[in-house]
Amino acid sequence: MDFEIPENLRMITDTVRRLVQRELEPISRQVEEQDHIPESVVQTMRELGLFGLSIPEAYGGLGLSTLGECLVYEELAKVNACFRNRIATNNGIGSQGLVLDGTEQQKQRYLPRLASGQWIGCFALSEPGAGSDAAGVQTTAVMEGDHWVLNGRKHFITNGDIADLATVFAVTDRQKRAKGGITAFLVERSFAGYQVGTIEKKMGHRGSHTSELIFDNCRVPAENVLGGPSMVGRGFQSAMKTLDKGRLTIGAAALGAAQRLLELSLDYAKQRVQFGRPIAEFQSIKNMLADMATEIYAARQMLHHAAWLRDQKGTAVIKEASMVKLFCTNMAGRVADMAVQIHGGMGYMQEYPVERFYRDLRLTRIYEGTDEIQRLVIARELLKE
Amino acid sequence: MNIVVCIKQVPDTETQIKIASDGKSIETDDIKWVMNPYDEFGVEEALVLQKEKGAEVTVVGAGPQRVTEALRTALAMGADKAVLIEDDDFYGADPITVAKVLAKAIEPLNPDIIFFGQRAVDDDSGVVGSAVAEFLDMPQLSVVTKVEVGDGTVQAHRPVEGATLVLESTLPCVITAQKGLNEPRYASLPGIMKAKKKPLEVISLADLGVERDDKLEIVALNPPPERAPGKQVEGETGQEIAINLVKLLREEAKVI
């Protein structure tokens, strides 16, 4: 048994912590108000290598372990969710399909651009009629000569407005649907018929956008089927594999935010004086602090173990990943609720970061698989065993 | 061109320092160790010269195995190789002993410039750089905020009260870095991954043929006096509070 985080991963988290303290924390309020991350900061993030965490070294990335990637997200999430979102699609759902299933040619064309942050990738699965029931996508792709022609509308696409490359899921065989009828396409922004639709107005995650993507007779070369022509009809399986790691990384983001909320709450409880003493001396406040710390501790062990397990096995950890996402995000929700309570009126004010965390964290229980889907997956795996 | 940067690993400046039960050392169990911040300026300056002059940068540290972490940080920033003089009992050694050991390890590296931080933030002695210059019979440009390397010479600036001293020296020489010399870069993530593969040589005092001969001993460590608790100025109205504040400043604090 060795719970020690390896030295190079500790160094990486130190660098990210420094970035957070020196460059990101000071502009977090501004980013929230302007709903925009300054380009100079994005450039610093590129130079540090943050866009290529999970992309293999052979394609210009860092080839970091799952644990390493999770540790980076824990640190980044301590400041403001939008910074992780900016790099998360390139490291996760916007590139993992390529890493797992891409042809050599596709990997060479796209991965180095995503790893450097020169291009932004996104994952276009969700549609108005296909959320948790991802197999219900309506976007179609029809072969015309040496091109596929895509028609349909995606929504809630993280980084959709700034993406240069979208992994788009479309129906190629209406009868087969999830069982051989959905195909993943690599669609470049410059392809004719590709259009960014409305940027959606959200509860939180300001500074990071989700948008519609509209495909209006969008022409995609036949070689841009993810994984090549043999992968036609196998897009749904590819999507599910891609989402597996994402569950751990969202757990990490929730954990980082919860840790920050505990730190803010401890500081506030020690300073805030009511009835002649710091509120940290009241048992009701102490109970909340103790519960927050205990839950965070449990979540961290769980996440780190699952990430380690995935790195050891080199394969999906389906049940554990769902458990981590379910527990970490719900835990962070409870911690955020207590943090607001400890901060009282200040916890409800926008001049303090607590209310932002409270809003931002709510999404973690929804995107990349709702609580309900996680429970479904866990139970399905349990009953299989 | 060969550049050596000497690095000390010190407790993170944010660490809560606790004095150990022996009364003359600190509790090291829960300490986060980092590269001495002044040494970071030295590393950064060396890396600038690495790029401009094609210099090879070697970082050297002494102490227990954990010091490799500070050396690896420098490698991750971009240094080419590292030397660790490993000795479990080195932290807190007499600075002159430290200098003697470092000088022995540095000499065969044939450096044109040896950078140090102007002092270490833990014991504040500020002696090692000067002593190494002495042992290696090199000129020393201390506490500098600007370095310009010419052909076999170096010019450096040292801020003094209200003015700047401009120093010039031949190479090789020792330079100690002061805050303001530069803005140290981050260890980038690709840099950290590459650092794992860079050479890090581990040697012992025996390898260097040096024996500890400390003359200086820390006899006691005393914590700073506890700060008196703050005082809340009382009063019903703003005006009353202001009057009471002025009264306190004059009568108790005696500052006005």
Side-chain angles (χ1 to χ4, degrees), chain A residues 278-307:
Chain A
I279 61 170
E281 289 180 17
F282 295 111
Q283 195 171 27
S284 54
I285 302 292
K286 283 183 184 168
N287 286 347
M288 281 193 272
L289 292 170
D291 285 348
M292 289 161 88
T294 305
E295 290 225 55
I296 290 168
Y297 182 54
R300 175 170 294 120
Q301 305 319 310
M302 191 175 178
L303 169 75
H304 289 186
H305 177 262

PDB file of all heavy atoms in Angstrom, chain A residues 278-307:
ATOM      1  N   PRO A 278     -15.826  34.296  17.727  1.00  0.00           N
ATOM      2  CA  PRO A 278     -15.818  33.796  16.339  1.00  0.00           C
ATOM      3  C   PRO A 278     -16.855  32.682  16.200  1.00  0.00           C
ATOM      4  O   PRO A 278     -16.991  31.856  17.116  1.00  0.00           O
ATOM      5  CB  PRO A 278     -14.406  33.232  16.166  1.00  0.00           C
ATOM      6  CG  PRO A 278     -13.596  33.819  17.255  1.00  0.00           C
ATOM      7  CD  PRO A 278     -14.520  34.101  18.385  1.00  0.00           C
ATOM      8  N   ILE A 279     -17.559  32.662  15.080  1.00  0.00           N
ATOM      9  CA  ILE A 279     -18.615  31.658  14.945  1.00  0.00           C
ATOM     10  C   ILE A 279     -18.059  30.238  14.906  1.00  0.00           C
ATOM     11  O   ILE A 279     -18.785  29.279  15.141  1.00  0.00           O
ATOM     12  CB  ILE A 279     -19.523  31.932  13.717  1.00  0.00           C
ATOM     13  CG1 ILE A 279     -18.710  31.885  12.404  1.00  0.00           C
ATOM     14  CG2 ILE A 279     -20.262  33.259  13.862  1.00  0.00           C
ATOM     15  CD1 ILE A 279     -19.591  31.897  11.165  1.00  0.00           C
ATOM     16  N   ALA A 280     -16.739  30.094  14.645  1.00  0.00           N
ATOM     17  CA  ALA A 280     -16.123  28.756  14.670  1.00  0.00           C
ATOM     18  C   ALA A 280     -16.218  28.126  16.055  1.00  0.00           C
ATOM     19  O   ALA A 280     -16.034  26.929  16.215  1.00  0.00           O
ATOM     20  CB  ALA A 280     -14.665  28.832  14.237  1.00  0.00           C
ATOM     21  N   GLU A 281     -16.504  28.937  17.074  1.00  0.00           N
ATOM     22  CA  GLU A 281     -16.599  28.384  18.426  1.00  0.00           C
ATOM     23  C   GLU A 281     -17.979  27.812  18.723  1.00  0.00           C
ATOM     24  O   GLU A 281     -18.189  27.185  19.766  1.00  0.00           O
ATOM     25  CB  GLU A 281     -16.229  29.450  19.471  1.00  0.00           C
ATOM     26  CG  GLU A 281     -14.736  29.764  19.434  1.00  0.00           C
ATOM     27  CD  GLU A 281     -14.332  30.822  20.446  1.00  0.00           C
ATOM     28  OE1 GLU A 281     -15.114  31.076  21.388  1.00  0.00           O
ATOM     29  OE2 GLU A 281     -13.231  31.398  20.267  1.00  0.00           O
ATOM     30  N   PHE A 282     -18.909  28.030  17.797  1.00  0.00           N
ATOM     31  CA  PHE A 282     -20.257  27.481  18.031  1.00  0.00           C
ATOM     32  C   PHE A 282     -20.338  26.062  17.491  1.00  0.00           C
ATOM     33  O   PHE A 282     -19.891  25.766  16.384  1.00  0.00           O
ATOM     34  CB  PHE A 282     -21.321  28.355  17.365  1.00  0.00           C
ATOM     35  CG  PHE A 282     -21.403  29.730  17.970  1.00  0.00           C
ATOM     36  CD1 PHE A 282     -21.001  30.855  17.267  1.00  0.00           C
ATOM     37  CD2 PHE A 282     -21.867  29.889  19.264  1.00  0.00           C
ATOM     38  CE1 PHE A 282     -21.049  32.104  17.825  1.00  0.00           C
ATOM     39  CE2 PHE A 282     -21.925  31.157  19.842  1.00  0.00           C
ATOM     40  CZ  PHE A 282     -21.510  32.272  19.115  1.00  0.00           C
ATOM     41  N   GLN A 283     -20.976  25.213  18.279  1.00  0.00           N
ATOM     42  CA  GLN A 283     -21.012  23.795  17.929  1.00  0.00           C
ATOM     43  C   GLN A 283     -21.691  23.543  16.576  1.00  0.00           C
ATOM     44  O   GLN A 283     -21.278  22.686  15.810  1.00  0.00           O
ATOM     45  CB  GLN A 283     -21.734  23.021  19.022  1.00  0.00           C
ATOM     46  CG  GLN A 283     -21.502  21.537  18.928  1.00  0.00           C
ATOM     47  CD  GLN A 283     -22.046  20.803  20.127  1.00  0.00           C
ATOM     48  OE1 GLN A 283     -22.981  21.259  20.772  1.00  0.00           O
ATOM     49  NE2 GLN A 283     -21.462  19.675  20.430  1.00  0.00           N
ATOM     50  N   SER A 284     -22.728  24.312  16.298  1.00  0.00           N
ATOM     51  CA  SER A 284     -23.455  24.087  15.039  1.00  0.00           C
ATOM     52  C   SER A 284     -22.556  24.354  13.831  1.00  0.00           C
ATOM     53  O   SER A 284     -22.641  23.663  12.819  1.00  0.00           O
ATOM     54  CB  SER A 284     -24.706  24.958  14.980  1.00  0.00           C
ATOM     55  OG  SER A 284     -24.353  26.310  15.191  1.00  0.00           O
ATOM     56  N   ILE A 285     -21.674  25.325  13.951  1.00  0.00           N
ATOM     57  CA  ILE A 285     -20.741  25.621  12.863  1.00  0.00           C
ATOM     58  C   ILE A 285     -19.665  24.535  12.804  1.00  0.00           C
ATOM     59  O   ILE A 285     -19.287  24.048  11.738  1.00  0.00           O
ATOM     60  CB  ILE A 285     -20.096  27.021  13.055  1.00  0.00           C
ATOM     61  CG1 ILE A 285     -21.163  28.116  13.115  1.00  0.00           C
ATOM     62  CG2 ILE A 285     -19.063  27.303  11.961  1.00  0.00           C
ATOM     63  CD1 ILE A 285     -21.909  28.380  11.829  1.00  0.00           C
ATOM     64  N   LYS A 286     -19.163  24.163  13.970  1.00  0.00           N
ATOM     65  CA  LYS A 286     -18.135  23.105  14.025  1.00  0.00           C
ATOM     66  C   LYS A 286     -18.650  21.837  13.370  1.00  0.00           C
ATOM     67  O   LYS A 286     -17.903  21.156  12.657  1.00  0.00           O
ATOM     68  CB  LYS A 286     -17.782  22.785  15.484  1.00  0.00           C
ATOM     69  CG  LYS A 286     -16.892  23.797  16.153  1.00  0.00           C
ATOM     70  CD  LYS A 286     -16.566  23.317  17.549  1.00  0.00           C
ATOM     71  CE  LYS A 286     -15.746  24.357  18.284  1.00  0.00           C
ATOM     72  NZ  LYS A 286     -15.650  24.069  19.709  1.00  0.00           N
ATOM     73  N   ASN A 287     -19.892  21.492  13.641  1.00  0.00           N
ATOM     74  CA  ASN A 287     -20.450  20.264  13.057  1.00  0.00           C
ATOM     75  C   ASN A 287     -20.400  20.327  11.536  1.00  0.00           C
ATOM     76  O   ASN A 287     -20.049  19.349  10.873  1.00  0.00           O
ATOM     77  CB  ASN A 287     -21.906  20.073  13.500  1.00  0.00           C
ATOM     78  CG  ASN A 287     -21.992  19.631  14.949  1.00  0.00           C
ATOM     79  OD1 ASN A 287     -20.996  19.243  15.555  1.00  0.00           O
ATOM     80  ND2 ASN A 287     -23.180  19.717  15.523  1.00  0.00           N
ATOM     81  N   MET A 288     -20.762  21.482  11.002  1.00  0.00           N
ATOM     82  CA  MET A 288     -20.746  21.604   9.537  1.00  0.00           C
ATOM     83  C   MET A 288     -19.322  21.472   9.003  1.00  0.00           C
ATOM     84  O   MET A 288     -19.080  20.766   8.018  1.00  0.00           O
ATOM     85  CB  MET A 288     -21.361  22.942   9.100  1.00  0.00           C
ATOM     86  CG  MET A 288     -22.888  22.920   9.138  1.00  0.00           C
ATOM     87  SD  MET A 288     -23.608  24.335   8.290  1.00  0.00           S
ATOM     88  CE  MET A 288     -23.674  25.521   9.615  1.00  0.00           C
ATOM     89  N   LEU A 289     -18.373  22.140   9.657  1.00  0.00           N
ATOM     90  CA  LEU A 289     -16.985  22.065   9.195  1.00  0.00           C
ATOM     91  C   LEU A 289     -16.477  20.625   9.244  1.00  0.00           C
ATOM     92  O   LEU A 289     -15.819  20.148   8.316  1.00  0.00           O
ATOM     93  CB  LEU A 289     -16.090  22.975  10.051  1.00  0.00           C
ATOM     94  CG  LEU A 289     -16.333  24.484   9.895  1.00  0.00           C
ATOM     95  CD1 LEU A 289     -15.577  25.266  10.972  1.00  0.00           C
ATOM     96  CD2 LEU A 289     -15.919  24.963   8.503  1.00  0.00           C
ATOM     97  N   ALA A 290     -16.820  19.924  10.318  1.00  0.00           N
ATOM     98  CA  ALA A 290     -16.372  18.536  10.465  1.00  0.00           C
ATOM     99  C   ALA A 290     -16.982  17.666   9.366  1.00  0.00           C
ATOM    100  O   ALA A 290     -16.289  16.828   8.763  1.00  0.00           O
ATOM    101  CB  ALA A 290     -16.761  18.010  11.843  1.00  0.00           C
ATOM    102  N   ASP A 291     -18.258  17.868   9.085  1.00  0.00           N
ATOM    103  CA  ASP A 291     -18.908  17.068   8.043  1.00  0.00           C
ATOM    104  C   ASP A 291     -18.306  17.355   6.676  1.00  0.00           C
ATOM    105  O   ASP A 291     -18.085  16.452   5.871  1.00  0.00           O
ATOM    106  CB  ASP A 291     -20.423  17.365   8.001  1.00  0.00           C
ATOM    107  CG  ASP A 291     -21.143  16.711   9.174  1.00  0.00           C
ATOM    108  OD1 ASP A 291     -20.531  15.865   9.858  1.00  0.00           O
ATOM    109  OD2 ASP A 291     -22.322  17.058   9.413  1.00  0.00           O
ATOM    110  N   MET A 292     -18.045  18.633   6.407  1.00  0.00           N
ATOM    111  CA  MET A 292     -17.458  19.004   5.114  1.00  0.00           C
ATOM    112  C   MET A 292     -16.112  18.301   4.931  1.00  0.00           C
ATOM    113  O   MET A 292     -15.848  17.664   3.905  1.00  0.00           O
ATOM    114  CB  MET A 292     -17.244  20.527   5.043  1.00  0.00           C
ATOM    115  CG  MET A 292     -18.524  21.332   4.934  1.00  0.00           C
ATOM    116  SD  MET A 292     -18.279  23.080   5.403  1.00  0.00           S
ATOM    117  CE  MET A 292     -17.797  23.781   3.844  1.00  0.00           C
ATOM    118  N   ALA A 293     -15.263  18.400   5.960  1.00  0.00           N
ATOM    119  CA  ALA A 293     -13.914  17.826   5.854  1.00  0.00           C
ATOM    120  C   ALA A 293     -13.977  16.314   5.702  1.00  0.00           C
ATOM    121  O   ALA A 293     -13.210  15.718   4.932  1.00  0.00           O
ATOM    122  CB  ALA A 293     -13.091  18.213   7.078  1.00  0.00           C
ATOM    123  N   THR A 294     -14.901  15.691   6.416  1.00  0.00           N
ATOM    124  CA  THR A 294     -15.009  14.226   6.370  1.00  0.00           C
ATOM    125  C   THR A 294     -15.463  13.761   4.984  1.00  0.00           C
ATOM    126  O   THR A 294     -14.916  12.815   4.412  1.00  0.00           O
ATOM    127  CB  THR A 294     -16.003  13.742   7.446  1.00  0.00           C
ATOM    128  OG1 THR A 294     -15.577  14.266   8.702  1.00  0.00           O
ATOM    129  CG2 THR A 294     -16.050  12.222   7.515  1.00  0.00           C
ATOM    130  N   GLU A 295     -16.435  14.453   4.453  1.00  0.00           N
ATOM    131  CA  GLU A 295     -16.933  14.083   3.119  1.00  0.00           C
ATOM    132  C   GLU A 295     -15.849  14.272   2.054  1.00  0.00           C
ATOM    133  O   GLU A 295     -15.700  13.464   1.137  1.00  0.00           O
ATOM    134  CB  GLU A 295     -18.145  14.953   2.759  1.00  0.00           C
ATOM    135  CG  GLU A 295     -19.369  14.617   3.593  1.00  0.00           C
ATOM    136  CD  GLU A 295     -20.606  14.533   2.725  1.00  0.00           C
ATOM    137  OE1 GLU A 295     -20.581  13.757   1.749  1.00  0.00           O
ATOM    138  OE2 GLU A 295     -21.575  15.255   3.010  1.00  0.00           O
ATOM    139  N   ILE A 296     -15.103  15.368   2.186  1.00  0.00           N
ATOM    140  CA  ILE A 296     -14.037  15.647   1.213  1.00  0.00           C
ATOM    141  C   ILE A 296     -12.969  14.559   1.278  1.00  0.00           C
ATOM    142  O   ILE A 296     -12.476  14.086   0.255  1.00  0.00           O
ATOM    143  CB  ILE A 296     -13.442  17.054   1.463  1.00  0.00           C
ATOM    144  CG1 ILE A 296     -14.461  18.114   1.067  1.00  0.00           C
ATOM    145  CG2 ILE A 296     -12.129  17.238   0.715  1.00  0.00           C
ATOM    146  CD1 ILE A 296     -14.105  19.517   1.519  1.00  0.00           C
ATOM    147  N   TYR A 297     -12.651  14.165   2.503  1.00  0.00           N
ATOM    148  CA  TYR A 297     -11.643  13.120   2.692  1.00  0.00           C
ATOM    149  C   TYR A 297     -12.093  11.824   2.008  1.00  0.00           C
ATOM    150  O   TYR A 297     -11.319  11.188   1.272  1.00  0.00           O
ATOM    151  CB  TYR A 297     -11.436  12.905   4.198  1.00  0.00           C
ATOM    152  CG  TYR A 297     -10.388  11.884   4.552  1.00  0.00           C
ATOM    153  CD1 TYR A 297      -9.098  11.977   4.062  1.00  0.00           C
ATOM    154  CD2 TYR A 297     -10.703  10.821   5.397  1.00  0.00           C
ATOM    155  CE1 TYR A 297      -8.137  11.040   4.403  1.00  0.00           C
ATOM    156  CE2 TYR A 297      -9.743   9.881   5.748  1.00  0.00           C
ATOM    157  CZ  TYR A 297      -8.464   9.998   5.243  1.00  0.00           C
ATOM    158  OH  TYR A 297      -7.513   9.061   5.571  1.00  0.00           O
ATOM    159  N   ALA A 298     -13.326  11.452   2.230  1.00  0.00           N
ATOM    160  CA  ALA A 298     -13.853  10.222   1.626  1.00  0.00           C
ATOM    161  C   ALA A 298     -13.816  10.316   0.093  1.00  0.00           C
ATOM    162  O   ALA A 298     -13.384   9.395  -0.602  1.00  0.00           O
ATOM    163  CB  ALA A 298     -15.272   9.968   2.112  1.00  0.00           C
ATOM    164  N   ALA A 299     -14.260  11.451  -0.423  1.00  0.00           N
ATOM    165  CA  ALA A 299     -14.325  11.637  -1.876  1.00  0.00           C
ATOM    166  C   ALA A 299     -12.931  11.561  -2.489  1.00  0.00           C
ATOM    167  O   ALA A 299     -12.735  10.973  -3.554  1.00  0.00           O
ATOM    168  CB  ALA A 299     -14.972  12.984  -2.206  1.00  0.00           C
ATOM    169  N   ARG A 300     -11.951  12.154  -1.797  1.00  0.00           N
ATOM    170  CA  ARG A 300     -10.599  12.172  -2.351  1.00  0.00           C
ATOM    171  C   ARG A 300     -10.034  10.762  -2.444  1.00  0.00           C
ATOM    172  O   ARG A 300      -9.443  10.387  -3.463  1.00  0.00           O
ATOM    173  CB  ARG A 300      -9.685  13.070  -1.502  1.00  0.00           C
ATOM    174  CG  ARG A 300      -8.237  13.024  -1.976  1.00  0.00           C
ATOM    175  CD  ARG A 300      -7.351  14.061  -1.331  1.00  0.00           C
ATOM    176  NE  ARG A 300      -7.762  15.396  -1.727  1.00  0.00           N
ATOM    177  CZ  ARG A 300      -8.151  16.326  -0.896  1.00  0.00           C
ATOM    178  NH1 ARG A 300      -8.183  16.085   0.398  1.00  0.00           N
ATOM    179  NH2 ARG A 300      -8.511  17.509  -1.339  1.00  0.00           N
ATOM    180  N   GLN A 301     -10.213   9.966  -1.389  1.00  0.00           N
ATOM    181  CA  GLN A 301      -9.676   8.594  -1.416  1.00  0.00           C
ATOM    182  C   GLN A 301     -10.317   7.811  -2.556  1.00  0.00           C
ATOM    183  O   GLN A 301      -9.660   7.057  -3.266  1.00  0.00           O
ATOM    184  CB  GLN A 301      -9.935   7.872  -0.084  1.00  0.00           C
ATOM    185  CG  GLN A 301      -9.421   8.599   1.148  1.00  0.00           C
ATOM    186  CD  GLN A 301      -8.056   9.226   0.955  1.00  0.00           C
ATOM    187  OE1 GLN A 301      -7.116   8.575   0.497  1.00  0.00           O
ATOM    188  NE2 GLN A 301      -7.924  10.500   1.253  1.00  0.00           N
ATOM    189  N   MET A 302     -11.591   8.016  -2.710  1.00  0.00           N
ATOM    190  CA  MET A 302     -12.340   7.285  -3.727  1.00  0.00           C
ATOM    191  C   MET A 302     -11.869   7.668  -5.133  1.00  0.00           C
ATOM    192  O   MET A 302     -11.591   6.809  -5.975  1.00  0.00           O
ATOM    193  CB  MET A 302     -13.797   7.715  -3.524  1.00  0.00           C
ATOM    194  CG  MET A 302     -14.810   6.951  -4.240  1.00  0.00           C
ATOM    195  SD  MET A 302     -16.386   7.622  -3.652  1.00  0.00           S
ATOM    196  CE  MET A 302     -17.443   6.636  -4.671  1.00  0.00           C
ATOM    197  N   LEU A 303     -11.766   8.963  -5.357  1.00  0.00           N
ATOM    198  CA  LEU A 303     -11.338   9.437  -6.681  1.00  0.00           C
ATOM    199  C   LEU A 303      -9.921   8.952  -6.992  1.00  0.00           C
ATOM    200  O   LEU A 303      -9.660   8.422  -8.070  1.00  0.00           O
ATOM    201  CB  LEU A 303     -11.390  10.966  -6.733  1.00  0.00           C
ATOM    202  CG  LEU A 303     -10.710  11.555  -7.974  1.00  0.00           C
ATOM    203  CD1 LEU A 303     -11.568  11.362  -9.213  1.00  0.00           C
ATOM    204  CD2 LEU A 303     -10.391  13.022  -7.788  1.00  0.00           C
ATOM    205  N   HIS A 304      -9.015   9.160  -6.040  1.00  0.00           N
ATOM    206  CA  HIS A 304      -7.619   8.800  -6.304  1.00  0.00           C
ATOM    207  C   HIS A 304      -7.492   7.294  -6.523  1.00  0.00           C
ATOM    208  O   HIS A 304      -6.724   6.848  -7.368  1.00  0.00           O
ATOM    209  CB  HIS A 304      -6.712   9.274  -5.166  1.00  0.00           C
ATOM    210  CG  HIS A 304      -6.550  10.769  -5.144  1.00  0.00           C
ATOM    211  ND1 HIS A 304      -5.693  11.428  -4.308  1.00  0.00           N
ATOM    212  CD2 HIS A 304      -7.149  11.748  -5.880  1.00  0.00           C
ATOM    213  CE1 HIS A 304      -5.762  12.730  -4.525  1.00  0.00           C
ATOM    214  NE2 HIS A 304      -6.652  12.942  -5.467  1.00  0.00           N
ATOM    215  N   HIS A 305      -8.253   6.519  -5.781  1.00  0.00           N
ATOM    216  CA  HIS A 305      -8.192   5.077  -5.962  1.00  0.00           C
ATOM    217  C   HIS A 305      -8.699   4.687  -7.353  1.00  0.00           C
ATOM    218  O   HIS A 305      -8.061   3.903  -8.058  1.00  0.00           O
ATOM    219  CB  HIS A 305      -8.986   4.341  -4.885  1.00  0.00           C
ATOM    220  CG  HIS A 305      -9.000   2.856  -5.102  1.00  0.00           C
ATOM    221  ND1 HIS A 305     -10.051   2.214  -5.707  1.00  0.00           N
ATOM    222  CD2 HIS A 305      -8.059   1.916  -4.862  1.00  0.00           C
ATOM    223  CE1 HIS A 305      -9.759   0.923  -5.807  1.00  0.00           C
ATOM    224  NE2 HIS A 305      -8.562   0.718  -5.299  1.00  0.00           N
ATOM    225  N   ALA A 306      -9.821   5.242  -7.749  1.00  0.00           N
ATOM    226  CA  ALA A 306     -10.393   4.878  -9.052  1.00  0.00           C
ATOM    227  C   ALA A 306      -9.470   5.307 -10.198  1.00  0.00           C
ATOM    228  O   ALA A 306      -9.291   4.578 -11.177  1.00  0.00           O
ATOM    229  CB  ALA A 306     -11.779   5.492  -9.217  1.00  0.00           C
ATOM    230  N   ALA A 307      -8.860   6.484 -10.041  1.00  0.00           N
ATOM    231  CA  ALA A 307      -7.944   6.970 -11.077  1.00  0.00           C
ATOM    232  C   ALA A 307      -6.722   6.048 -11.154  1.00  0.00           C
ATOM    233  O   ALA A 307      -6.274   5.657 -12.233  1.00  0.00           O
ATOM    234  CB  ALA A 307      -7.515   8.404 -10.775  1.00  0.00           C
TER     235      ALA A 307
END
